[in-house]
Amino acid sequence: MNDIVSPDEESIAPEHPQQLAARPIRILLYSDDVNTREKVRMAVGPRSSGRPIEWVETATHEGTVMQADTESFDLMVLDGEAAKSGGMGLARQFKHELFSCPPIVVLVGRMGDAWLATWSEAEAAVAHPLDPFEVKAAVDAFFTPASAQA
């Protein structure tokens, strides 16, 4: 859906550790429902742990696979309720096919479906209807320094 050309990884490598904090977090967001994608973006906001977020949105299985194969992401948020090709199947596929698969958050139909996220090998699950605080907490958990979580 979105064709984003990212700069070469080496050209943005930080010379100082402080530059790492300024590097945008790249999140792949897959859902066939534009409203679901908007809810996730609005819940998470423009930053996580002080770093700006760069969203790459996809609405189809093919577009999501293409982005995952050709781009580098810090996190994937995949809608398990997407029609035709759900996020849980994609999560499992990515965990088995991508050499360096980022953490994955799966959006499940209800909390009772969270066990399916375990099958998909996703690191976290958030249930529909999406609670903005839960969505933000799930995403932020991957970018909050360990010292701040204690």
Side-chain angles (χ1 to χ4, degrees):
M1 183 169 150
N2 287 349
D3 293 334
I4 295 181
V5 178
S6 60
D8 185 335
E9 288 287 327
E10 294 176 354
S11 68
I12 60 170
E15 293 179 20
H16 302 288
Q18 296 84 1
Q19 287 178 312
L20 181 61
R23 185 180 67 81
I25 295 169
R26 297 197 73 228
I27 300 177
L28 176 62
L29 174 58
Y30 163 65
S31 179
D32 64 336
D33 183 350
V34 67
N35 293 322
T36 298
R37 294 194 310 267
E38 182 179 16
K39 287 176 186 177
V40 170
R41 284 191 334 272
M42 295 299 286
V44 175
R47 304 179 79 75
S48 180
S49 297
R51 293 171 55 190
I53 296 175
E54 178 184 313
W55 294 97
V56 176
E57 296 183 41
T58 58
T60 65
H61 174 92
E62 295 79 15
T64 307
V65 170
M66 182 191 73
Q67 287 291 333
D69 284 344
T70 60
E71 298 291 331
S72 175
F73 296 98
D74 299 301
L75 179 70
M76 293 182 183
V77 179
L78 308 175
D79 186 1
E81 299 302 301
K84 295 184 182 177
S85 181
M88 284 184 263
L90 276 171
R92 188 168 173 93
Q93 176 182 348
F94 292 154
K95 290 295 183 177
H96 289 258
E97 293 180 2
L98 295 179
F99 177 71
S100 181
C101 187
I104 297 175
V105 175
V106 175
L107 308 176
V108 296
R110 56 191 176 89
M111 229 27 236
D113 294 336
W115 70 272
L116 287 169
T118 304
W119 168 85
S120 73
E121 301 180 34
E123 283 76 9
V126 177
H128 285 281
L130 299 177
D131 177 323
F133 296 106
E134 289 180 21
V135 173
K136 178 147 182 66
V139 170
D140 286 349
F142 294 101
F143 305 107
T144 303
S147 59
Q149 291 178 356

